Amino acid sequence: PSRRKWRKEKATLLNNIGSALAEQNLDERATGYFERARELRQEIVVFDPNNVSWRSDLANSEYNRAVNAIKKGDVAEGWRRADDCLEQMGIMLGSEPDNASLHQNLQDYVRELSIAFRENGGLSESAKLYEWAEKLFADLAGLAEERESNLFRRAEVLKIAGERRADLGNLQSSTAHFQNGIDVMLELYRADPDDPKRRYLLASAIANRAWVSEKQG
């Protein structure tokens, strides 16, 4: 157990050095530190796959590796590593679907990865991030006690996924996302039609659907 503790501490140090180098745009030098931190964190998770703290660290390493690859211009490798990060987040939220901290981490990772992809020619990958999140929230809405919270999250990422697909000219996919957003918001609206937030979000979802329909002619 003591060795695992020090492996965790060493991995944190390596990851922090990598982050400091990345902030100075020294991405090549940062790569080695991120890779070594990830190897240690992966070894630690093997000891106890259900330890959320350890798995959160591993997800963070996967996120850093993804951003590092994207910034170096390797969008395909960036997506593979982003997918590894999302996989870890999905595992944790599957076991703790109402963990607010995990949801915040996921939101941060998806947003920052999306920005990195969009700034480096990965528009399709940016859309895929939100489509992945939509599927997760759909699953969590069927499992979690806080069903409505996950439906609101699903509606939000459907909106962004629809916008991203429209940016790529894929209007058929964009339409499907916006229509699904309407369906989700209708369910939430019917559960509490007097809630102004739900009425506004439903109206917004309908407007998005109308907007993409107009683009289709």
Side-chain angles (χ1 to χ4, degrees):
S2 62
R3 289 187 179 183
R4 292 195 287 275
K5 172 185 175 182
W6 287 111
R7 284 184 184 183
K8 176 179 170 64
E9 294 298 327
K10 182 178 179 180
T12 299
L13 176 60
L14 290 167
N15 190 70
N16 289 345
I17 293 172
S19 296
L21 291 169
E23 288 178 2
Q24 300 174 65
N25 295 317
L26 300 174
D27 299 305
E28 289 293 342
R29 289 183 60 191
T31 300
Y33 289 98
F34 287 142
E35 294 292 344
R36 288 161 61 197
R38 186 257 187 184
E39 289 172 4
L40 285 170
R41 287 171 168 176
Q42 194 170 43
E43 291 173 7
I44 295 171
V45 166
V46 170
F47 287 111
D48 184 0
N50 298 318
N51 188 311
V52 171
S53 175
W54 291 355
R55 197 174 284 277
S56 292
D57 285 346
L58 178 57
N60 178 253
S61 277
E62 303 292 12
Y63 162 77
N64 285 326
R65 293 168 74 230
V67 172
N68 184 245
I70 297 165
K71 288 175 64 178
K72 291 194 296 182
D74 193 342
V75 171
E77 181 65 14
W79 172 253
R80 285 190 288 271
R81 295 178 176 185
D83 193 47
D84 289 339
C85 172
L86 298 178
E87 180 184 3
Q88 297 302 324
M89 295 304 301
I91 291 171
M92 288 185 288
L93 282 166
S95 62
E96 298 188 16
D98 299 323
N99 187 315
S101 178
L102 289 178
H103 277 290
Q104 184 61 57
N105 288 344
L106 176 62
Q107 178 181 322
D108 292 343
Y109 288 153
V110 170
R111 182 184 64 252
E112 295 303 320
L113 285 167
S114 176
I115 292 171
F117 277 125
R118 288 172 64 82
E119 290 179 347
N120 292 275
L123 288 178
S124 177
E125 286 74 16
S126 175
K128 284 159 60 177
L129 286 170
Y130 288 98
E131 289 164 349
W132 181 94
E134 184 272 323
K135 290 181 176 64
L136 174 65
F137 294 139
D139 290 341
L140 293 180
L143 296 173
E145 293 181 6
E146 296 184 12
R147 172 177 171 78
E148 289 195 348
S149 296
N150 286 308
L151 287 177
F152 276 114
R153 293 181 182 113
R154 185 184 177 204
E156 175 61 22
V157 295
L158 279 167
K159 171 182 177 292
I160 300 173
E163 293 170 347
R164 296 291 185 268
R165 287 301 176 189
D167 290 342
L168 289 163
N170 190 339
L171 300 183
Q172 183 176 0
S173 178
S174 178
T175 298
H177 290 318
F178 286 142
Q179 183 59 55
N180 287 338
I182 291 175
D183 295 341
V184 172
M185 285 313 308
L186 272 172
E187 179 179 345
L188 289 165
Y189 169 75
R190 288 167 179 158
D192 187 358
D194 295 326
D195 181 0
K197 174 184 177 181
R198 299 175 193 230
R199 294 163 70 180
Y200 170 79
L201 290 175
L202 174 58
S204 178
I206 294 170
N208 289 330
R209 176 68 171 79
W211 169 75
V212 77
S213 295
E214 183 178 351
K215 287 177 72 70
Q216 287 178 303

